[in-house]
């Protein structure tokens, strides 16, 4: 039919027409008819309504007074709630429908229906809905007056609070629920009463009467109650127990904090303390972390649960309390701690399971009787709940963490144990990582310290100081090295090298190279020959490491300084040139031939002689000293020149200045720095003689040496010195060619040298009883600290060193006979001293 309402409107039966205002109106909103129901509803007779605008007869109560034109113009009609006024002035809450009339008399094309909400069928549904919310919903609802006294509450709130309804009505929250955060809750309600702005999702903690031992979390919403005239009646609140979700959030937050705070360092003790600190106060009031002795000593813990024999002592690695000073602790961090076999800590480690004790019975527990000190401490401080979780990582038990709560905190629940196990597991992994790192780090440092010189050797050629900074700060080791090696003739070798890479592998390679350099230096080879031999060795090492064509990259600078000649001979293999600072200042790089890096093979190295006046400062370094984050060697060289601008400053001070000038918190590459300030041997500590090719020259050489010893105040060395010089000069006269020279140097030791023009070196051999010679070198080895030979451009030098501070033992009875056999008829033995 044409008069049927739009399909978008509610179905028939929404209104009871006998109690409903039915008002025909035109499009302009002018009333064209009036019914008895309309008169009963609004209190207006037809004469006061017909012909008037609908907005005047049904004046809306509120800001929607100009909304009627739009409602009437809607092509499909309109429906909704309207607040209007009765003729006598009281408020009417109406359900209104505007229906379009497709055809009708008098031009009326709108039909307006209005009824009180309480008389519509949906009003019953609303009351049913309200009853369900208030009576059957798990949400607690209460209404309070302006003085915040209870006037009504539903069953859910009564159950939630644990206080009967009759005990609440007429009273304030704090009078019936003292376990809640009363002050903050009432302050929030007063704010809502004052402003009229609702509060949604306000959360607080409390202990309800229904469960006073456990803290609960609540989410509450408040809104103001008003009468029909807008007057304030009070406040209504709706509350929901969100303890489970609150705990879940707290657990997640605690796990996040544990992940952020635990394991920030590779230190066993620090990590254990972090575990204790992260659990207080959110999970426990007091936490201890005890580790097995194997964890502290660096030994590898056994897999599986711990045997009771291994638990005689643990070590306290961390502890934390919510009270200052940790008054609960019976052991300090670092102390050994002993537990009886029945204690929860021992049980957790021997059985491999966590222990949860929600109610701590200190009067009847076996372990309390076995450990009265801890039991008394727990009792005196009010602890009532304990759980112990073993620290387990990679199948091994490392120790145990104990958690304790004191009243009024509630007992530990199974969820708390799950949480504790979660972040104890995380902490155990971090502790095990720290243990493994500590073990590897200690081994690496031991290796490094065994490879680098602990102290520079005593020698008189130079004053030296050094610094070593590895780029790998985790292991503390690297591939750079340096060395100061005393040589014969009061000379000294200065060495700096750099192996490509960092860490233990580079350090091991460096150790092999350093050992090789020391061995080659003992042969008194020239710097270029040392590098050539070292190059061959590196090539062999690289080939052995890979089986084919592996390469171990390394560079090296080898220098030999002679304080007698004040000259330095240097050669380098792909290494940065040293910086020379003159005695009066002024720094420049030494111009040295650039040799290839070690390991390339087949390419020659060249040496260069550089005169160094006394007081010259020579800086040997690796390229890590010059490189910053910008990898700018020129800038690094400028920093080094600036740092060494005062060449006469103490060397340790200069080393600190150089290190302080490095950019960044740590170097980008390993750094080795060796500073050497040259000394010159005083002329009064040097004596030289030419030895003629005459057998009588042996006695003359002995007499010259004895006279020089007397001038130096070394009479105790006369016999051993004469014995050595006699043998060396005799050998030169018998087996070598001229010219022959004798030199004595008083340095850190007494040095005797005999030079000749031959390149054949003597060697020790076992003489038979009937041999006339072959025993002299044994006597030299017996009385000298060390002896050897070095080659020169004109022949060789045989040398021996004797100590200055102690007199040698008296010679054996057959010393003269042995020496006489070696000397033969070359000399008169009357010049030899008697056996003293």
């Amino acid at each position: 039919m044409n008069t049927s309402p739009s399909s978008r409107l509610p179905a028939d039966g929404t209104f009871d027409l006998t109690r409903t205002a039915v008002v025909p109106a035109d499009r302009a909103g002018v009333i064209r008819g009036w019914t008895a129901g309309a008169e009963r509803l609004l209190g207006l007779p037809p004469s006061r309504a017909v012909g008037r605008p609908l907005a005047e007869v049904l004046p809306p109560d509120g800001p929607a007074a100009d909304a009627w034109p739009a409602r009437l113009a809607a092509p499909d009609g309109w429906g909704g709630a309207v607040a209007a006024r009765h003729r006598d002035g009281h408020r009417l809450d109406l359900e209104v429908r505007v229906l379009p009339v497709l055809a009708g008399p008098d031009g009326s094309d709108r039909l307006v229906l209005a009824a009180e909400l309480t008389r519509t069928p949906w009003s019953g549904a609303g009351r049913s809905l309200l009853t369900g919310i208030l009576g059957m919903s798990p949400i607690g609802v209460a209404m309070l007056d302006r003085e915040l006294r209870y006037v009504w509450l539903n069953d859910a709130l009564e159950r939630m609070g644990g206080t009967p309804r009759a005990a609440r009505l007429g009273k304030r929250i704090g009078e019936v629920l003292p376990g809640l955060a009363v002050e903050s809750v009432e302050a929030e309600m007063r704010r809502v009463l004052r402003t009229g702005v609702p509060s949604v999702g306000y959360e607080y903690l409390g202990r309800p009467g229904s469960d006073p031992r456990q803290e609960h979390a609540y989410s509450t919403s408040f809104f103001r109650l008003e009468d029909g005239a807008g007057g304030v009646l009070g406040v209504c609140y709706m509350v929901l127990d969100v303890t489970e979700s609150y705990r879940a959030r707290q657990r997640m937050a605690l796990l996040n904090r544990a992940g952020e705070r635990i394991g920030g360092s590779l230190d066993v003790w620090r990590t254990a303390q972090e575990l204790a600190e992260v659990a207080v106060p959110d999970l426990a009031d007091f936490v201890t972390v005890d580790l097995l002795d194997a964890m502290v000593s660096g030994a590898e813990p056994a897999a599986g649960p711990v045997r009771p024999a291994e638990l005689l002592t643990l070590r306290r690695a961390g502890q934390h309390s919510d009270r200052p000073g940790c008054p609960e602790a019976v052991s300090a961090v670092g102390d050994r701690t002993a537990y009886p076999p029945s204690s929860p800590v021992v049980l957790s480690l021997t059985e491999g399971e966590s222990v949860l004790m929600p109610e701590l019975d200190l009067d009847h527990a076996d372990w309390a009787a076995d450990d009265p000190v801890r039991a008394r401490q727990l009792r005196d401080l009010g602890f009532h709940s304990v759980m112990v979780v073993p620290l387990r990582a990679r199948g091994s038990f490392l120790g145990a963490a104990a958690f304790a709560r004191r009243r009024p905190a509630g007992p530990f629940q199974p969820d708390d144990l799950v949480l504790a196990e979660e972040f104890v597991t995380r902490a155990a992994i971090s502790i095990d990582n720290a243990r493994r790192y500590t073990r590897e780090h200690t081994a690496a440092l031991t290796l490094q310290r065994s490879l680098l010189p602990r102290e520079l050797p005593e020698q008189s050629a130079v004053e030296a100081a050094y610094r070593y900074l590895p780029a790998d700060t985790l292991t503390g080791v690297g591939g750079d090295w340096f060395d100061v090696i005393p040589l014969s003739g009061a000379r000294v070798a200065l060495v700096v090298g750099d192996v490509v890479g960092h860490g233990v592998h580079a350090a091991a390679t460096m150790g092999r190279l350093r050992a090789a350099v020391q061995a080659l230096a003992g042969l008194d080879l020239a710097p270029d020959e040392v590098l050539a031999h070292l190059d061959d060795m590196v090539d062999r090492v690289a080939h052995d490491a890979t089986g084919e064509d592996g390469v171990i990259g390394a560079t090296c600078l080898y220098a030999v300084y002679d304080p007698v000649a004040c000259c330095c001979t240097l050669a380098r293999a792909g290494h940065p040139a040293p910086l020379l600072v003159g005695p009066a200042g002024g720094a420049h790089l030494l111009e040295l031939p650039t040799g290839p890096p070690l390991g390339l093979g087949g390419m020659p190295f060249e040496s260069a002689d550089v005169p160094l006046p006394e007081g010259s400062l020579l800086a040997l370094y690796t390229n890590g000293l010059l490189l910053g984050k910008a990898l700018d060697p020129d800038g690094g060289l400028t920093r080094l020149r600036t740092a060494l601008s005062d060449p006469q400053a103490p060397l340790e001070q200069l080393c600190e200045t150089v290190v302080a000038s490095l950019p960044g918190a740590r170097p980008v590459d390993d750094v080795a720095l060796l500073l050497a300030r040259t000394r010159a041997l005083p002329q009064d500590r040097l004596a030289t003689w030419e030895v003629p090719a005459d057998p009588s020259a042996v006695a003359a050489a002995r007499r010259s040496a004895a006279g020089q010893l007397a001038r130096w105040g070394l009479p105790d060395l006369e016999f051993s010195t004469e014995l050595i010089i006699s043998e060396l000069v005799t050998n030169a006269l018998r087996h070598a060619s001229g010219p022959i020279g004798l030199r004595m140097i008083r340095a850190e030791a007494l040095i005797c040298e005999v030079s000749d023009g031959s390149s054949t070196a003597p060697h020790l051999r076992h003489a038979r009883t009937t041999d006339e010679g072959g025993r002299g070198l044994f006597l030299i080895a017996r009385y000298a600290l060390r002896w050897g030979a070095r080659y020169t451009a004109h022949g060789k030098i045989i040398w021996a060193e004797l100590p200055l501070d102690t007199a040698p033992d008296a010679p054996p009875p057959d010393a003269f006979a042995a020496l006489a056999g070696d000397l033969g008829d070359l000399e008169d033995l009357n010049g030899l001293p008697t056996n003293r």
Side-chain angles (χ1 to χ4, degrees):
M1 296 177 55
N2 327 3
T3 57
S4 65
S6 169
S7 62
R8 297 185 183 179
L9 295 177
D12 293 341
T14 300
F15 293 99
D16 181 356
L17 297 181
T18 62
R19 293 178 295 178
T20 301
V22 181
V23 180
D26 60 18
R27 288 181 177 273
V30 177
I31 297 174
R32 297 303 183 187
W34 198 250
T35 63
E39 184 175 0
R40 286 194 299 270
L41 180 62
L42 296 172
L44 294 174
S47 59
R48 298 282 301 275
V50 176
R52 296 177 58 192
L54 188 62
E56 294 181 4
V57 177
L58 283 174
D61 183 27
D66 57 349
W68 275 112
R71 296 170 182 172
L72 293 169
D76 294 327
W78 177 85
V82 174
R85 292 288 174 180
H86 191 273
R87 182 181 179 185
D88 61 11
H90 75 269
R91 175 182 170 127
L92 293 173
D93 292 316
L94 304 178
E95 180 80 12
V96 177
R97 295 291 184 268
V98 177
L99 305 177
V101 179
L102 300 181
D106 304 325
S108 298
D109 55 1
R110 291 294 183 269
L111 191 65
V112 180
L113 309 180
E116 286 190 85
L117 284 175
T118 57
R119 295 184 178 275
T120 65
W122 279 104
S123 64
R127 285 192 298 272
S128 176
L129 177 63
L130 184 61
T131 301
I133 292 176
L134 298 182
M136 300 172 63
S137 171
I139 299 176
V141 182
M143 288 184 282
L144 292 78
D145 61 18
R146 288 179 294 182
E147 301 301 322
L148 302 184
R149 293 187 295 262
Y150 282 103
V151 296
W152 182 89
L153 67 153
N154 68 347
D155 295 341
L157 186 62
E158 185 179 17
R159 292 190 301 269
M160 193 181 298
T163 303
R165 181 181 284 103
R168 290 199 191 194
L169 296 178
K171 296 180 180 178
R172 297 176 59 172
I173 297 179
E175 298 177 273
V176 293
L177 298 173
L180 298 181
V182 177
E183 293 184 0
S184 61
V185 172
E186 288 191 346
E188 187 68 10
M189 288 193 289
R190 289 192 184 94
R191 187 192 65 78
V192 172
L193 280 175
R194 183 178 66 256
T195 64
V197 179
S199 176
V200 180
Y202 179 80
E203 289 193 358
Y204 57 92
L205 302 177
R207 299 179 183 274
S210 58
D211 189 12
R213 300 189 59 187
Q214 192 69 32
E215 193 172 54
H216 286 240
Y218 300 97
S219 178
T220 306
S221 297
F222 306 94
F223 60 91
R224 190 167 68 182
L225 296 174
E226 301 176 356
D227 59 17
V232 178
L233 298 176
V235 65
C236 175
Y237 73 82
M238 294 181 290
V239 59
L240 183 65
D241 190 326
V242 294
T243 302
E244 292 304 319
S245 62
Y246 174 79
R247 288 177 181 170
R249 295 197 307 271
Q250 292 295 103
R251 287 193 292 269
M252 186 58 66
L254 184 57
L255 284 176
N256 288 338
R257 287 199 298 274
E260 293 173 356
R261 295 178 57 183
I262 296 177
S265 65
L266 288 172
D267 181 87
V268 171
W269 298 92
R270 181 63 229 164
T271 305
Q273 184 62 31
E274 290 168 348
L275 168 58
E277 292 174 355
V278 78
V280 178
D282 294 325
L283 181 61
D285 299 316
F286 177 57
V287 177
T288 63
V289 180
D290 297 314
L291 298 179
L292 300 175
D293 274 343
M295 291 295 301
V296 180
S297 63
E300 188 72 21
V306 183
R307 292 175 297 178
E310 300 176 9
L311 290 173
L312 296 176
T313 58
L314 296 168
R315 196 176 294 274
R316 180 62 48 83
Q319 59 189 16
H320 194 62
S321 171
D322 61 348
R323 296 182 177 180
C326 253
E328 306 89 341
V330 297
S331 302
V333 173
D335 290 349
R336 295 182 181 272
T337 59
Y339 293 94
S342 58
S343 70
V345 171
V346 173
L347 291 177
S348 71
L349 289 172
T350 56
E351 298 179 4
E353 300 292 339
S354 300
V355 177
L356 174 62
M357 305 175 69
E359 298 295 336
L360 193 60
D361 187 359
L362 296 174
D363 295 324
H364 301 92
D366 293 338
W367 70 268
D370 296 336
D371 195 353
V373 175
R374 282 191 176 84
R376 183 174 59 254
Q377 192 82 343
L378 292 172
R379 183 184 295 108
D380 293 345
L381 293 172
F383 288 103
H384 68 96
S385 189
V386 169
M387 57 183 178
V388 180
V389 181
L391 279 82
R392 178 169 42 198
R394 301 178 177 94
S396 299
F397 285 78
L398 316 178
F403 304 80
R405 278 183 181 173
R406 65 169 64 87
R407 291 184 174 85
F412 287 117
Q413 302 297 322
D415 287 347
D416 296 320
L417 182 61
V418 172
L419 174 62
E421 289 176 335
E422 177 67 26
F423 71 80
V424 166
T425 299
R426 297 187 183 186
I429 295 295
S430 297
I431 289 176
D432 192 50
N433 289 339
R435 177 192 65 83
R436 290 166 177 261
Y437 164 75
T438 301
R439 183 184 62 187
E440 299 299 329
H441 182 61
T442 302
L445 287 180
T446 302
L447 172 64
Q448 183 79 42
R449 289 165 182 163
S450 67
L451 298 177
L452 289 176
R454 296 185 180 182
E455 294 181 357
L456 297 181
E458 293 184 3
Q459 40 78 40
S460 57
V462 296
E463 176 191 1
Y466 68 91
R467 287 296 183 273
Y468 177 77
L469 301 175
D472 188 350
T473 55
L474 291 180
T475 62
V477 297
D480 292 8
W481 89 93
F482 60 91
D483 227 332
V484 176
I485 307 173
L487 302 177
S488 63
R491 300 169 307 137
V492 66
L494 306 174
V495 189
V496 171
D498 183 1
V499 175
V500 175
H502 316 294
V504 176
H505 177 71
T509 304
M510 172 269 289
R512 301 178 71 174
L513 295 180
R514 178 171 180 254
V517 169
Q518 289 182 325
L520 294 171
L523 298 177
D524 270 324
L525 300 178
D528 56 324
E529 295 182 63
V530 170
L531 294 183
H533 286 289
L534 198 62
D535 181 58
D536 292 340
M537 192 212 80
V538 172
D539 187 51
R540 289 194 304 270
V541 169
H543 182 75
D544 293 341
T546 63
E548 294 182 359
D549 56 349
V551 175
I552 296 177
T555 65
C556 184
L557 172 67
Y558 189 89
V560 175
Y561 174 69
D562 186 350
V564 176
C566 290
C567 180
C568 187
T569 304
L570 307 94
R572 58 174 176 154
H575 202 83
L579 184 71
L580 176 63
V581 184
H588 66 279
L589 290 177
L590 291 182
E591 295 183 2
L592 302 179
T594 303
L598 298 175
L600 296 184
M603 302 184 70
F605 299 92
E606 296 183 50
S607 296
D609 294 330
V610 178
L612 296 181
E614 183 178 11
S616 300
L617 181 62
L618 196 62
L620 288 73
Y621 50 86
T622 56
N623 61 356
L625 186 71
L626 305 182
L627 298 179
K629 291 184 177 180
L631 302 179
D632 179 17
D634 293 336
L637 191 57
T638 300
R639 290 193 306 271
L640 181 60
R641 282 194 175 102
T642 303
L644 300 179
S645 58
D646 183 6
Q648 301 307 318
L651 292 188
E652 289 293 330
Q653 177 182 328
L654 291 176
C655 285
E656 289 297 325
T657 303
V658 172
V659 171
S661 69
L662 292 174
R666 64 177 186 178
V668 297
D669 194 8
D670 299 332
V671 172
L673 171 67
L674 178 62
L675 297 182
R677 181 176 289 132
T678 60
R679 295 170 177 155
L681 186 73
Q683 289 299 316
D684 59 358
R685 294 194 175 191
L686 175 67
T688 60
W689 299 272
E690 292 184 2
V691 179
D694 185 342
S696 63
V698 177
R702 287 200 306 270
R703 289 191 295 271
S704 299
Q708 188 63 47
L709 290 176
R711 287 189 290 274
W712 283 341
L714 301 174
D716 292 337
L717 298 182
E718 182 178 338
F719 175 80
S720 55
T721 303
E722 290 187 21
L723 190 68
I724 290 172
I725 288 178
S726 293
E727 172 63 20
L728 296 181
V729 172
T730 299
N731 281 342
L733 290 173
R734 174 178 292 178
H735 303 293
S737 60
I740 300 174
L742 170 64
R743 185 169 75 165
M744 295 177 61
I745 301 173
R746 180 180 179 178
E748 298 295 323
L750 177 63
I751 304 170
C752 301
E753 296 180 343
V754 174
S755 61
D756 59 53
S758 171
S759 60
T760 303
H763 59 278
L764 289 171
R765 64 183 180 90
H766 293 279
R768 293 188 299 270
T769 305
T770 58
D771 289 345
E772 295 183 356
R775 301 174 183 84
L777 292 181
F778 277 102
L779 291 174
I780 293 177
R782 169 67 176 82
Y783 288 104
L785 282 175
R786 58 179 187 148
W787 70 279
R790 70 176 182 270
Y791 295 93
T792 67
H794 307 289
K796 69 177 183 296
I797 297 175
I798 309 298
W799 56 269
E801 292 184 3
L802 292 88
L804 296 178
D805 51 353
T806 57
D809 296 335
D814 60 347
F816 298 109
L819 183 60
D822 277 352
L823 296 179
D825 57 354
L826 288 178
E827 58 168 316
D828 181 8
L829 294 180
N830 293 333
L832 284 172
T834 60
N835 187 359
R836 291 188 286 258

